[in-house]
Amino acid sequence: MSKEHKPKILIVDDNETNRTMLAAMLGDEYDFLEADDGLPCIDILQQRSPELCLVLLDNIMPKMRGLQVLEIMNANHWIEDVPVIMISSDDSVEYVERAYELGVTEFISRPFNALIVRKRVVNTIMLSSKQKKLVSMVADQIYEKEQRSSLMIDILSHIVEFRNGESGLHVLHVRTLTELLLNRLVQKTDRYSLTPADISMISTASALHDIGKIAIDESILNKPGKLTDEEFAIMKTHSLVGADMLKGLPIHQNEPLVKEAYDICRWHHERYDGRGYPDGLKGDEIPISAQIVALADVYDALTSKRVYKPPFTHEKAVEMITGGQCGVFNPLVLECLSEISNDIQIELNNNDPQRRNRSELRNIAQEMSRHEELTASERTLQLLEHERMKYSFFAALTQEIQFEYTTSPAMLTLSTWGAQRLGLDEIIMDPMHNERVLEQINLKNCAELADALRSTSPEHPDVTQDCRIDCGGELRWFQIIARAIWSSDEPPRYTGAIGKAIDIHDSRMKLNALEHMASHDALTGLLNHAYAKKRILERLQNRPSASYALVIFDLDHFKQANDTFGHSFGDSVLIYVAEQLRQSIRGGDIAARAGGDEFLIFLEYKDDVESIISRIFSSLCGQLGSFQISLSMGVALSSQLSCDYDTLFHAADQALYHVKRSERGHYCFYRDDMKETLSVISPIEGDTAQQEEEKQ
C-alpha cells in the first residue's frame, strides 16, 4: 500500500520515545503524524482532521493537556468523526469518567503491551470505518428518495406542459433560471435570508408553478390568437386553482416544499407595483420565491416558441424584461438577471444531469443533518459553515489584527500579523488571566468585550467596541469588530468569537480635533456657549436635586481697551481672563465664553456659595499692562428658582444688568425684588440693554 493510501494516525505525546515506540508497534500499515503537545495537535486537527483515522492522545503534557484537547475536539465536532484512544497511566475514576464523557473510544496504559495496542487500534479504526459506511448507505437512500421526488414532480409538470402545448424543457428552464437568480440574489444581499437548502427547495417547487392549468380548457390554453376578456379571466384562475389543489392535499400540508409550491402557484403572476393577480400584492408582500419564478417564467416564455408567437433572442428578452415591457419586477431581481445574463444560455443549454444533481445533493445534506445518528455528516456541514463564515468574514482584510476565541478551553488565537503587531504569541491560553495580554489590552476592555459578546444572540451576533491598545509602547485607538459563535444546541450556547481589530487612532484623533473645534471658542479655548448649554442641560437632567449657581460676567470698559490699544490687545485681555478663569474654577465646573467679552460659569455647591463666587471674582480682577481689568457679574441660584437653564440664564443676566445700571466692578446675586424686571425683559432684550449701557 502506498504511503498516500495508508490510514493516517496522529500520535500526541510529549515524550519522543513513546511516540517512536507506538509507531514501531503498529508497523508499516499506517502513516503517522506526530505532535509533542496539545497545541500542535490542535493545529494538525484544524488542517487535516478529514484525513485522520485515529488519534492516540497522551493526557499529561506541558502546555495543553489531553483532556483540554478533547474539549476543543468536542467544541469543533472533530470527536464525532475522528476516534480517540487515550494514552495514560492514570486510572482514577474521575479521570476515566471525564475522558469517556468527552468521547474517547479506548484507553491504552503504560507500559505499552504491543498486542493490546495493535488490537485496540485495529478495532477502533474498523468500528469507525463501519459507522462511516453506514452513513454513506443512508446518504444513498436519501439521494434515491430525492431522485424519486424530483421525478414525480417532473412527470406531473410535464403533463401540464403537454396539455398546454409548451416545450417539455419549460419546467427545466424555469427551474434552472430560478436557481441561478436565487444564487445571485444571496450573493448580492442578505435581505431575504435564503440558505442553500431554501434555494434548492424553491427551485424544485418552481416546477409546479403552472399546475393549475390542468383545469383550464385546452381551447383556451392553445388558442393561437389573442384571448378575449372572458377567456383571459378564465386563464387567470389557474394561479388560484393550483394553490387550492396544493392546499387541498390530505397529507404533507406542513412540508416546506408544499408551502413553497403554494406560494409560487398562487402569486407568480403578482406584479411588484401591485397590479398583478390574484391578490394585488405589492413589493415584498409577494414572497421572493414567487417573484423569482415569475421572472424565470416570463424569460422562458419570451425565448421559447409558442402557438401565438415565434421565440425572441436572449438579448431581446433581457432587454424587454429590464425595460419594463413585460411587467414590473423587483429592481434587485432585475439587477440579478442582468448580472447573470452571460451565463443563462450556457446553463439552459446544459442538459447534463450532474448540474441538476448539485441542487439535489444540497437537499441530501439538509436531510442528513436532521438525523441525530449521522453525526459525521452533521459535523462536516457545521465545519463547512464555520469555515465559510470565518473566511468570508476575514476576506480581503490585510494588516489587521484578526483573532479567534474559544471558551472551552479559554484560548485566544491571533493571526500571524496581529501577533507580531502586538508582540504576543499566536496561541494564548486563558487570555483573561495572561499578564502580557492585560498589559496590551487592560482587564476592563477585555471584560467589556467579553460581556458584550455573551449578551448577543444567534440572530444578532455582531459586536463593535472602541478601545485603546498598547502597540510598541504607544497607546492607540482600535475598533474591534467581532462575531459571537453560538452552538446549534437547544438552547444555544456561546462558544467563542471571531473578529478583527482595526487601527483607527489617526482618524480618531482627527475626529477629536474636529469635535474640539466645534465645541470650543477658537480664541480663548473655553467652551462655546452652545456646547456649554448642552453640558449644563445634561447636568441638570442627571442631578436635578443638587444646588447650582449660574454666573454671567463681562469686562467693564472693554470697548475702551479696544479703542485705545487696538483689537490685538483686546484679544490678549480676553485670553488672559480665560486663563485666570480656568485656574479659579474647580474640575467639575463649566466655563464658557458666551460671546464678545461676556463669559459664563456653571457650578455646583453645597454650603457657602458666597465665598466661592467672591474667590472667583477676586481672581479674575487684575491688571494687564496698563489696562485695569474690572468685572461686572450676575449670579443666579437654583435654590431660588426652578432648575431650568433658560430661567437661570435669564436671572443671572438680569442680576448682571442690575450691577451695570448701579455701579460696575462688583457682583450681585439675583433677588426676589428683580422678578418684575425678569418677567418683562427677555434675555435678548437684556443683552441689548446692557450693550446700550456699555455704549453710554
Side-chain angles (χ1 to χ4, degrees), residues 181-182 185-186 188-192 194 267-268 270-275 281-296 298 321-324 326-339:
L181 287 167
L182 286 170
L185 185 67
V186 297
K188 192 176 185 67
T189 177
D190 57 1
R191 177 169 156 188
Y192 298 102
L194 296 170
W267 292 308
H268 73 282
E270 299 288 356
R271 287 171 45 128
Y272 205 67
D273 61 356
R275 296 172 59 193
L281 301 184
K282 184 177 182 180
D284 279 335
E285 293 174 354
I286 310 167
I288 190 60
S289 56
Q291 294 186 47
I292 294 289
V293 172
L295 192 148
V298 168
I321 293 171
T322 56
C326 305
V328 179
F329 295 96
N330 185 334
L332 264 178
V333 176
L334 291 178
E335 289 177 20
C336 292
L337 176 67
S338 298
E339 290 164 7

Side-chain angles (χ1 to χ4, degrees), residues 654-655 658 668-678:
Q654 297 312 301
H658 179 79
C668 173
F669 285 83
Y670 175 78
R671 302 188 307 272
D672 289 341
D673 60 7
M674 299 179 186
K675 283 183 179 178
E676 183 177 352
T677 307
L678 179 61

Side-chain angles (χ1 to χ4, degrees), residues 192-231:
Y192 298 102
S193 302
L194 296 170
T195 65
D198 294 331
I199 293 173
S200 178
M201 183 166 52
I202 293 170
S203 302
T204 301
S206 70
L208 300 173
H209 69 283
D210 274 341
I211 192 175
K213 286 185 178 179
I214 202 167
I216 305 298
D217 191 279
E218 287 187 36
S219 62
I220 297 176
L221 283 175
N222 299 319
K223 182 176 179 179
K226 183 178 180 181
L227 298 177
T228 65
D229 290 345
E230 183 180 1
E231 290 169 336

Side-chain angles (χ1 to χ4, degrees), residues 389-398 402-404 498-500:
M389 179 182 65
K390 183 169 70 175
Y391 288 111
S392 63
F393 188 72
F394 289 149
L397 298 180
T398 57
Q402 302 170 16
F403 64 87
E404 182 171 1
I498 57 175
K500 62 180 181 177

Side-chain angles (χ1 to χ4, degrees), residues 348-473:
L348 293 185
N349 292 328
N350 180 9
N351 294 320
D352 182 359
Q354 294 302 316
R355 189 208 64 77
R356 179 168 169 178
N357 288 346
R358 290 198 300 270
S359 174
E360 291 167 352
L361 285 172
R362 280 195 293 270
N363 273 353
I364 291 171
Q366 185 73 8
E367 180 74 16
M368 290 177 72
S369 70
R370 296 181 191 141
H371 294 264
E372 293 181 1
E373 68 273 16
L374 303 181
T375 54
S377 295
E378 182 180 4
R379 176 245 171 202
T380 301
L381 288 171
Q382 290 170 341
L383 270 181
L384 289 172
E385 175 61 20
H386 177 74
E387 292 303 308
R388 182 202 65 77
M389 179 182 65
K390 183 169 70 175
Y391 288 111
S392 63
F393 188 72
F394 289 149
L397 298 180
T398 57
Q399 294 194 341
E400 294 172 344
I401 300 172
Q402 302 170 16
F403 64 87
E404 182 171 1
Y405 174 72
T406 58
T407 59
S408 182
M411 182 172 71
L412 176 67
T413 304
L414 296 170
S415 61
T416 301
W417 189 90
Q420 293 173 350
R421 180 87 163 91
L422 295 175
L424 297 172
D425 296 331
E426 289 187 31
I427 298 177
I428 303 167
M429 300 303 299
D430 198 9
M432 294 291 284
H433 298 91
N434 185 290
E435 291 184 6
R436 292 184 61 194
V437 170
L438 298 180
E439 287 175 2
Q440 309 293 105
I441 313 169
N442 66 52
L443 180 60
K444 180 183 177 183
N445 288 332
C446 291
E448 287 177 352
L449 180 60
D451 290 344
L453 287 167
R454 290 181 180 277
S455 299
T456 64
S457 66
E459 295 77 23
H460 303 285
D462 295 339
V463 166
T464 300
Q465 176 179 309
D466 290 356
C467 65
R468 292 202 296 174
I469 299 177
D470 188 336
C471 289

